[in-house]
Amino acid sequence: MPTMKKLIPILLLLPALWGCRAATTVADITYVDREGARHGICSRTTPLTLVYLNDIDCHECHAVGDSLRRSTEIARAVSDGRLRVLSVYVGDQEDRWAAMDPTEGWVECIDTDFASMATSTYQFESLPALFIVDSHSRMRQQNISAKDAVNYIATHSK
């Protein structure tokens, strides 16, 4: 019979396991970019999409974004057409978001309707949130760190 000390870590993991698991088909939420074009999460043009949900007033979001921008592996995968980075500002300060400098090669969108938070597919407790989705609309990684995202892309986007 397992002791409570052994069960507690398992019980703490259950909510995450009940959510969207890796390889689960994801909801294709559509966002709007700076020019008004619509972009879905699921891309048929690249093998992988890194979804980076962020907030312009979040210090940790800026740190994660900077880490992703500095990654030569991400830059190489984007330029080689193996990866699409979909950066989504989850908020309603459209003027402030539009005034920010875009990152070359990234698709930068805004989620003023908070659609990212309304679906059970993308479960996250705070921003920033990183997800990796493949070209078949399957969740490959969710709620991962920038380091884990770079490592996954380095090994799975060849």
Side-chain angles (χ1 to χ4, degrees):
M1 183 95 161
T3 66
M4 277 309 283
K5 284 186 177 181
K6 291 181 181 176
L7 285 176
I8 289 173
I10 295 168
L11 294 173
L12 292 173
L13 286 173
L14 286 178
L17 296 175
W18 289 328
C20 182
R21 292 180 193 80
T24 301
T25 301
V26 300
D28 192 14
I29 301 171
T30 302
Y31 302 109
V32 178
D33 68 14
R34 284 178 165 80
E35 289 78 40
R38 300 179 74 70
H39 299 271
I41 286 180
C42 305
S43 170
R44 304 280 187 249
T45 59
T46 60
L48 295 174
T49 297
L50 172 61
V51 181
Y52 164 51
L53 302 177
N54 59 81
D55 181 348
I56 56 179
D57 291 324
C58 165
H59 175 72
E60 182 67 21
C61 296
H62 290 285
V64 167
D66 290 343
S67 177
L68 295 173
R69 285 179 198 88
R70 284 192 308 268
S71 167
T72 56
E73 185 59 47
I74 287 182
R76 192 175 315 115
V78 168
S79 69
D80 292 349
R82 297 179 283 129
L83 175 71
R84 176 179 72 139
V85 177
L86 179 64
S87 174
V88 181
Y89 160 54
V90 182
D92 58 3
Q93 297 178 37
E94 200 164 348
D95 292 340
R96 285 188 57 212
W97 169 77
M100 296 179 70
D101 292 330
T103 302
E104 185 176 342
W106 289 20
V107 178
E108 297 194 0
C109 297
I110 189 167
D111 179 13
T112 55
D113 298 330
F114 300 93
S116 305
M117 301 172 111
T119 179
S120 63
T121 301
Y122 309 99
Q123 294 186 353
F124 57 95
E125 293 182 13
S126 64
L127 295 174
L130 295 170
F131 302 91
I132 297 178
V133 179
D134 70 16
S135 61
H136 301 287
S137 304
R138 291 184 304 236
M139 180 75 72
R140 289 301 173 186
Q141 298 284 299
Q142 68 175 4
N143 292 317
I144 56 175
S145 67
K147 181 180 177 182
D148 290 340
V150 171
N151 290 339
Y152 185 90
I153 291 159
T155 57
H156 292 86
S157 70
K158 305 291 182 199

